[in-house]
């Protein structure tokens, strides 16, 4: 099965069934590790919204969830570039945080998010990402929970976009060769 989004062709890469299996496996691990921890799920918009919605319905506890977005702006001359997590208004001091991502590649954004969370004196921070491009990941922070380690090719669907489109696709598609 192929799809065309704007100027690019994509081939099917993971079916909705395969995604469902990956989400359910991840949820089982989180159920085991987070019993009695009452974690706050911090879902990073936009891409993670579908994964997050499916993941929480596989958990055996009812988690608190916050949706956030990383914003960068130019501060004063002395502060330089400032990173901020928009929408994260909860008091998170002492909480166990689970960052929910659709995909991790270089880890650049992730590292900024983790730094901000740690400055707020959280009890712990771990990452749960549906997809992980481990071959391009450059950071030391381990990605504790990932569904599938995938090659460094552009993917869309199940929340992931190409130029704002493709998020509603039920399967995950990979950019076609050539
Ligand atoms: N697809 C969509 N969004 C992304 C990707 C990708 O492969 N990698 C990082 N953001
Ligand atoms: Mg995107």
């Amino acid at each position: 099965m192929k799809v065309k989004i704007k100027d690019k062709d994509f081939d099917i890469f993971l079916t909705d069934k395969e995604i469902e299996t990956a989400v359910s496996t991840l949820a089982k691990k989180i159920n085991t590790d987070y019993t009695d921890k009452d974690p706050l799920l911090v879902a990073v918009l936009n891409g993670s919204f579908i994964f997050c919605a499916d993941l929480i319905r596989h958990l055996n506890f009812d988690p608190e969830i916050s949706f956030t977005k990383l914003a960068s702006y130019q501060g004063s001359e002395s502060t330089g570039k400032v990173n901020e997590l928009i929408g994260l208004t909860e008091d998170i001091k002492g909480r166990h945080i689970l960052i929910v991502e659709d995909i991790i590649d270089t880890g650049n954004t992730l590292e900024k998010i983790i730094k901000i969370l740690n400055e707020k004196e959280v009890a712990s921070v771990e990452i749960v990402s549906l997809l992980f491009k481990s071959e391009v990941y450059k950071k030391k922070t381990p990605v504790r929970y990932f569904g599938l380690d995938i090659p460094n090719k552009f993917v869309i669907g199940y929340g992931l976009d190409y130029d704002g489109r493709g998020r509603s696709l039920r399967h995950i598609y990979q950019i076609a060769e050539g």
Side-chain angles (χ1 to χ4, degrees), residues 13 103 131 150 153-157 160-161 172-174:
F13 178 60
I103 188 164
L131 304 176
I150 66 165
K153 282 194 198 164
F154 196 75
V155 290
I156 57 163
L160 292 139
D161 73 304
I172 291 177
Y173 295 79
Q174 192 176 55

Side-chain angles (χ1 to χ4, degrees), residues 117-133:
L117 293 171
N118 280 326
E119 282 165 2
K120 295 180 193 287
E121 298 175 57
V122 296
S124 67
V125 181
E126 296 291 353
I127 303 137
V128 51
S129 182
L130 178 65
L131 304 176
F132 183 32
K133 292 179 177 173

Side-chain angles (χ1 to χ4, degrees), residues 94-169:
R95 296 292 302 269
H96 292 282
I97 309 289
L98 261 176
I99 300 171
V100 182
E101 276 279 19
D102 49 352
I103 188 164
I104 307 277
D105 49 21
T106 60
N108 290 335
T109 303
L110 180 68
E111 189 166 73
K112 290 175 190 157
I113 293 172
I114 292 171
K115 182 162 177 279
I116 294 171
L117 293 171
N118 280 326
E119 282 165 2
K120 295 180 193 287
E121 298 175 57
V122 296
S124 67
V125 181
E126 296 291 353
I127 303 137
V128 51
S129 182
L130 178 65
L131 304 176
F132 183 32
K133 292 179 177 173
S134 70
E135 64 185 87
V136 289
Y137 187 66
K138 287 187 263 171
K139 308 296 176 186
K140 291 207 176 69
T141 310
V143 178
R144 169 73 63 91
Y145 307 99
F146 58 89
L148 296 143
D149 192 340
I150 66 165
N152 185 27
K153 282 194 198 164
F154 196 75
V155 290
I156 57 163
Y158 196 74
L160 292 139
D161 73 304
Y162 166 52
D163 198 14
R165 301 290 170 153
R167 296 191 196 278
S168 68
L169 297 167

